[in-house]
Amino acid sequence: MNWTVRLTVNGEPRTLALDDPRVTLLDLLRERLHLTGTKKGCDRGQCGACTALVDGRRINSCLTLAISLDGAAITTIEGLAQGDQLHPVQEAFIAHDALQCGFCTPGQIMSAVGLINEGHAGGDPERVREGMSGNLCRCSAYVGIVEAVLHAQATLAEDKERAA
């Protein structure tokens, strides 16, 4: 038996046949769509390496069944940049050296984008740390990550103000 799921992945409509309804979004992204920026860390929802955006909200893709997302818009790290123009959060991570080994970085960036989009980042480093607490960095780049989130949030707010 096959199940069908319709998703928009990084702006591209996709209709996918699943032979198993237990396929997670993480496995669908990595194994079927070859979007390997979303990382498989703990595979238990504890590390945040698999963070992706579903309809603009961050989720642990390792805990989410793909079939439950029929009709959803999925954004992965591959879908953030606009051509050669990096997303402001990506730029801020580079500017603040918010990465070391890089394994957690895609999940950290996606979580930061979600945190800012949800309006929960605030201007307080402690609030950012709390909001990003579901994303672990074994290299301890947390200082740079918090600085990058605060910088990106300020940049996005300025851009929004200019556009208004």
Side-chain angles (χ1 to χ4, degrees), residues 104-128:
C104 74
T105 305
Q108 296 277 1
I109 289 172
M110 297 309 295
S111 187
V113 169
L115 183 70
I116 292 167
N117 288 348
E118 293 160 13
H120 298 305
D124 176 23
E126 186 57 36
R127 191 168 172 183
V128 171

Side-chain angles (χ1 to χ4, degrees), residues 89 92 115-116 119-124 128 148-158:
V89 173
L115 183 70
I116 292 167
H120 298 305
D124 176 23
V128 171
V149 173
L150 292 171
H151 179 140
Q153 177 179 290
T155 300
L156 288 165
E158 289 169 12

Side-chain angles (χ1 to χ4, degrees), residues 29-72:
L29 292 170
R30 289 185 60 80
E31 296 171 15
R32 293 280 305 278
L33 300 178
H34 308 290
L35 296 171
T36 57
T38 306
K39 303 301 183 201
K40 186 177 274 199
C42 67
D43 212 19
R44 294 191 170 113
Q46 297 174 339
C47 72
C50 67
T51 303
L53 301 180
V54 175
D55 296 329
R57 298 193 53 86
R58 55 201 165 136
I59 58 118
N60 288 325
S61 63
C62 71
L63 297 179
T64 307
L65 295 177
I67 201 161
S68 72
L69 300 173
D70 194 43

Side-chain angles (χ1 to χ4, degrees), residues 133-151:
S133 65
N135 292 80
L136 303 179
C137 174
R138 291 190 172 106
C139 300
S140 297
Y142 294 114
V143 171
I145 291 168
V146 171
E147 290 172 356
V149 173
L150 292 171
H151 179 140

Side-chain angles (χ1 to χ4, degrees), residues 2-55:
N2 279 343
W3 292 265
T4 301
V5 63
R6 288 168 218 53
L7 303 169
T8 301
V9 181
N10 297 329
E12 183 181 333
R14 306 292 299 252
T15 300
L16 300 151
L18 304 176
D19 55 1
D20 186 343
R22 298 169 295 175
V23 172
T24 65
L25 177 59
L26 174 61
D27 290 337
L28 180 79
L29 292 170
R30 289 185 60 80
E31 296 171 15
R32 293 280 305 278
L33 300 178
H34 308 290
L35 296 171
T36 57
T38 306
K39 303 301 183 201
K40 186 177 274 199
C42 67
D43 212 19
R44 294 191 170 113
Q46 297 174 339
C47 72
C50 67
T51 303
L53 301 180
V54 175
D55 296 329

